Amino acid sequence: MSERAKDILRTFAIRDWQSEPFNKNQNYAERGWQDAKRHANHLMHTTDAPDDAWLLVLQFVCFIMNHTAGESLGWRTPIEWLLGFTPDIPALLQFLFWQPVYYLKYEGENDQKGKECLGRFTGIAENVG
């Protein structure tokens, strides 16, 4: 670790801990990434999504994992544990990943009718209301 990184940790009173190389059992996040990768590979194979959609698949899998309750959190979702409220999941039950969907494409601000286009469902927009 560089001296600059050590100075930053000391300045903000951040405790540092590093696992030994090649000892995955010391880093608990390794198991989470292993599960996410396994689920993403399975989803890519079952939906016939193209290889260049791997990032969208991984984001979708992480979204699902964050909205799924687990025993280690007392059967609460990670989102609920972090933010304190139960997340809304009906949108997750309506579509499957890479399912064909129609959406309205507007050409301009004055275009009220819009044009219907075919796309693929790749996940829920979290920051659009």
Side-chain angles (χ1 to χ4, degrees), residues 29-111:
E30 291 285 340
R31 177 58 191 213
W33 277 112
Q34 179 185 9
D35 290 342
K37 184 177 176 183
R38 182 173 41 87
H39 291 309
N41 285 332
H42 178 72
L43 189 60
M44 288 205 52
H45 294 307
T46 57
T47 60
D48 290 330
D51 290 339
D52 58 348
W54 68 269
L55 182 59
L56 295 171
V57 173
L58 193 57
Q59 287 176 327
F60 183 74
V61 166
C62 289
F63 185 87
I64 297 293
M65 290 175 76
N66 284 333
H67 287 75
T68 305
E71 186 177 5
S72 63
L73 297 176
W75 297 111
R76 296 168 61 197
T77 67
I79 295 292
E80 182 182 358
W81 180 83
L82 179 66
L83 302 176
F85 63 88
T86 304
D88 210 12
I89 63 165
L92 296 173
L93 305 175
Q94 293 179 357
F95 300 102
L96 300 174
F97 186 83
W98 210 251
Q99 176 181 353
V101 292
Y102 286 99
Y103 66 96
L104 287 178
K105 180 179 180 183
Y106 295 101
E107 297 298 329
E109 292 181 17
N110 297 331
D111 186 13

